[in-house]
Amino acid sequence: MNITLGLREIPNYIEGTACVPTAIAAITGLTPQQIAQAIADAAPGSSKPAIVTADPTKPFDINHWVAAIDLLGLKWHEGVGWHSIHEDQRAPMRHFLQNHIAADDDRRILLMFAERRVAGKDPMTHVFAIQGNEIVDTSTFGRKLALKDAAITDDFNEFRIKRIFEITQ
């Protein structure tokens, strides 16, 4: 599969598409459906083998989607080890987006992995894609926006950045 990395909008985005297929589609140019299929194909051979449905509206396990990145012929490298920082010290999603300023020459493709651990709510994770000072996310409905223009609702702000993956070819 010939993939050219770069953050792009997702044409004909379907509301309700899960975060992982949204973020990976935004950086690869594939459709969320193709990403969900790649995750389903990669899951049985991953570090946490499982049978996974290729439904882009369902959540995906991190072990399966990083295996799918490998399957697509891409490489990933985990950057800053935020997972080793206590969750109370991690940046909330809104704070990160409002304060992240990439250097003009920083064109890295990043998948941001955030986690929500709030009393009274089920733990959840969220993934979104950024390049430079732009984002594509489920909250942008597959559109590419400047980070400063991304409207992050309060429920998304409960997510704190846990891991940052740089994606390369």
Side-chain angles (χ1 to χ4, degrees), residues 54-111:
D55 181 348
T57 66
K58 301 293 183 199
F60 293 99
D61 184 283
I62 189 171
N63 296 291
H64 304 149
W65 61 260
V66 294
I69 290 170
D70 294 334
L71 182 70
L72 292 171
L74 302 173
K75 296 178 176 81
W76 58 271
H77 168 75
E78 186 167 359
V80 178
W82 290 45
H83 61 281
S84 62
I85 299 170
H86 190 273
E87 61 191 71
D88 292 340
Q89 301 301 312
R90 296 181 198 144
M93 190 170 162
R94 181 182 293 136
H95 181 269
F96 176 86
L97 295 178
Q98 290 174 343
N99 293 289
H100 176 79
I101 299 172
D104 289 340
D105 62 346
D106 185 2
R107 299 306 300 157
R108 293 177 301 153
I109 304 287
L110 303 176
L111 291 178

Side-chain angles (χ1 to χ4, degrees), residues 3-4 34-36 39 49 69 71 73 84 91 111 113 123 130 151 159:
I3 294 174
T4 302
Q34 289 172 309
I35 298 302
I39 295 168
I69 290 170
L71 182 70
S84 62
L111 291 178
F113 180 81
I130 65 173
F159 289 85

Side-chain angles (χ1 to χ4, degrees), residues 112-133:
M112 310 296 292
F113 180 81
E115 181 177 54
R116 179 185 78 185
R117 291 189 181 274
V118 176
K121 295 185 179 182
D122 290 335
M124 289 183 70
T125 59
H126 182 64
V127 178
F128 57 99
I130 65 173
Q131 183 178 26
N133 290 308

